[in-house]
Amino acid sequence: MADKKAFLIIDMLNDFVKEGAPLEVPAARGIVPNIAKRMKDARNSNTSVIYLCDSHGKDDPEFKAWPRHAVKGTAGSRVIDELKPEQGDIIIPKTSYSGFYNTDLNEKLKSLDVDELIITGCVTNICVLYTSVDALMRGYYVKVPEDCVAALERDDHLFALKQINKVLRPRTQKQR
Ligand code: ZN
């Protein structure tokens, strides 16, 4: 029976987090220690750690809307050193806002018997929000810790958190 958790880290890549990066989310630097701590707890409790990482072709249609970022194989597309994956972690490349879109995330979660996701990273109102919504639609319990997500604008950040953690309840909260 599915009753395991997975810890997801979205787009904590050089091209989002580093100062002067093409899609810099300055607030993302402030959440690094919080994610690191929870990730350590996850590893200690045998929770799967899954990275969802933008991995774009060099002429990806997304670059019509956003500066070029996280092009597959470049240094910018790599997870920041402070949160770098360890052996046994799962890395899932994605090309859009939801980590479920055109990826094998759902199959991976099923094969691991996961039914609850802790979702962290950036951007709160973009990839974190749409991955959370997609997860909820698929029947997963979703938890987004406020101190582990970051956005460009505070209003957007708060709106997304409210959508996920309050409006979409009760599916977001698992009674254990
Ligand atoms: Zn992207």
Side-chain angles (χ1 to χ4, degrees), residues 11 16 23 54 56 62-63 66 69-70 94-97 127:
D11 285 342
F16 288 85
L23 215 66
D54 253 5
H56 292 297
E62 199 174 279
F63 301 153
W66 301 99
H69 62 278
K94 65 179 180 66
T95 54
S96 194
Y97 304 139
C127 292

Side-chain angles (χ1 to χ4, degrees), residues 83-94:
L83 298 174
K84 74 167 174 265
E86 290 184 3
Q87 202 168 7
D89 292 346
I90 296 164
I91 300 169
I92 297 182
K94 65 179 180 66

Side-chain angles (χ1 to χ4, degrees), residues 59-130:
D59 294 314
D60 193 290
E62 199 174 279
F63 301 153
K64 293 193 175 85
W66 301 99
R68 187 182 294 256
H69 62 278
V71 174
K72 194 177 175 175
T74 62
S77 71
R78 285 205 294 270
V79 175
I80 57 167
D81 284 344
E82 298 91 321
L83 298 174
K84 74 167 174 265
E86 290 184 3
Q87 202 168 7
D89 292 346
I90 296 164
I91 300 169
I92 297 182
K94 65 179 180 66
T95 54
S96 194
Y97 304 139
S98 167
F100 288 90
Y101 182 73
N102 273 348
T103 71
D104 61 356
L105 175 60
N106 200 37
E107 290 72 21
K108 281 264 157 59
L109 295 171
K110 295 284 174 221
S111 72
L112 294 165
D113 273 340
V114 164
D115 73 342
E116 183 173 4
L117 309 180
I118 298 140
I119 301 183
T120 68
C122 68
V123 174
T124 320
N125 58 302
I126 310 176
C127 292
V128 171
L129 176 62
Y130 296 112

Side-chain angles (χ1 to χ4, degrees), residues 13-26 29 67-70 76 80 152:
L13 312 177
N14 291 322
D15 273 354
F16 288 85
V17 183
K18 294 277 176 211
E19 219 172 320
L23 215 66
E24 184 185 359
V25 181
R29 290 191 286 278
R68 187 182 294 256
H69 62 278
I80 57 167
L152 288 160

Side-chain angles (χ1 to χ4, degrees), residues 8 98 100 105-106 109 115 117 119 129-142 171:
L8 270 55
S98 167
F100 288 90
L105 175 60
N106 200 37
L109 295 171
D115 73 342
L117 309 180
I119 301 183
L129 176 62
Y130 296 112
T131 301
S132 297
V133 171
D134 249 358
L136 290 161
M137 299 300 158
R138 285 168 169 79
Y140 294 98
Y141 298 97
V142 172
R171 302 222 59 158

